[in-house]
Amino acid sequence: MASTNPPGFYQRLQQLPLAAQQAFMAALCERLLPNYALYEQTTGHGDGHTLRAVLNLVWERLSVPGASIDFARQAEKLAECEPPEGDESFGARRALDAVVSISALLDTLQGESPEAVLDVSRTSRAGVRAFIELTEGEEDANALALLIRDHPLTEDENNFQDAVLEEVSQPLTKDTLKDIRQLGRNGGVSNLGLSLDDA
C-alpha cells in the first residue's frame, strides 16, 4: 500500500526529470480547473478562458520543447485571474488553488523552482481536505482526521496522484502526454468530485 506513504511519493516526484514534473503538475492543474469554472459561473468573477489558454500553452511546450512561448507574459495574465482579495469564500479559495498551481508550473518554465511540483501536489490534497472538513462538519479533531483519511475523495485523490506519477515516470512521447492530459481532465470532474454540471 505505497499510496498511503507520501514521503516516498514526494521523493519520487522530486527525482523525476523536470519535464516529467511539469507534466505531473499540468495534469493536476487540469483537474483543478473545474473548481475555478464553478467559481466563475456562480460569482461572475474570474477568467477561465485565460487559465485554459495558459495551460494549453504548457502542454504545447511539453509536446514541442522548442516552442517559443513567453511564459513571463502568461504569468502576468494569470495573476489577473485571481479571485478578488476580499473574497474568503470556499469557492474563491479553491479557484485560487487553480491559479496558484498553474503559476507554480509557469515558474518551472521560467527558471529554477524545485519545490513547485511538491507545492502543486500538496495544494490539490489540501483542497480535498478542506472540502471534506466543510461538508462533513466534524468538530472532534481526531474523528475528523480519521474521516479525512478514510474518505472516498481522499482515496480518489491519492489514487489519482499515484496514477499520474506512474504515467509521467515513463518516457514522455506525444502519445503519453496525450494520455496524461486525458487523465488530468478526469472526465471534467475536479479533485473535489465536482463538475460544471453540478452548478
Side-chain angles (χ1 to χ4, degrees):
M1 281 293 291
S3 67
T4 52
N5 186 4
F9 176 89
Y10 289 133
Q11 218 166 358
R12 283 180 64 195
L13 261 190
Q14 284 201 290
Q15 286 162 356
L16 289 171
L18 181 59
Q21 290 185 1
Q22 288 166 339
F24 177 88
M25 288 187 274
L28 265 61
C29 289
E30 285 286 350
R31 209 164 84 119
L32 294 175
L33 275 189
N35 296 333
Y36 188 95
L38 278 168
Y39 171 75
E40 184 180 9
Q41 195 174 47
T42 49
T43 65
H45 291 299
D47 178 1
H49 290 299
T50 295
L51 263 68
R52 172 78 274 156
V54 171
L55 202 46
N56 287 348
L57 287 173
V58 172
W59 286 112
E60 186 185 326
R61 164 59 73 82
L62 286 169
S63 300
V64 187
S68 169
I69 297 163
D70 182 353
F71 282 112
R73 175 75 194 101
Q74 299 308 318
E76 285 169 20
K77 285 188 197 168
L78 201 57
E80 291 163 17
C81 299
E82 291 187 7
E85 262 183 38
D87 190 343
E88 287 295 314
S89 68
F90 182 82
R93 287 204 290 272
R94 300 293 73 81
L96 187 60
D97 285 349
V99 178
V100 167
S101 295
I102 299 174
S103 267
L105 172 51
L106 290 187
D107 287 344
T108 67
L109 288 153
Q110 297 177 84
E112 285 292 306
S113 189
E115 293 293 308
V117 71
L118 302 183
D119 290 343
V120 172
S121 170
R122 289 178 182 138
T123 295
S124 187
R125 289 185 202 273
V128 171
R129 248 194 331 270
F131 185 67
I132 297 168
E133 286 174 12
L134 178 80
T135 51
E136 299 292 345
E138 174 57 66
E139 295 297 316
D140 180 69
N142 290 336
L144 182 61
L146 285 173
L147 193 69
I148 290 170
R149 191 194 70 190
D150 298 331
H151 199 282
L153 280 176
T154 305
E155 187 183 356
D156 185 54
E157 178 68 15
N158 291 338
N159 290 343
F160 174 76
Q161 290 207 21
D162 286 346
V164 177
L165 178 58
E166 287 308 316
E167 286 285 332
V168 301
S169 299
Q170 306 171 49
L172 290 184
T173 64
K174 286 199 173 170
D175 284 342
T176 50
L177 281 167
K178 268 188 193 144
D179 292 344
I180 294 162
R181 189 174 189 177
Q182 202 56 41
L183 182 64
R185 290 201 160 170
N186 201 39
V189 179
S190 79
N191 60 333
L192 309 182
L194 302 174
S195 70
L196 269 181
D197 305 339
D198 297 324

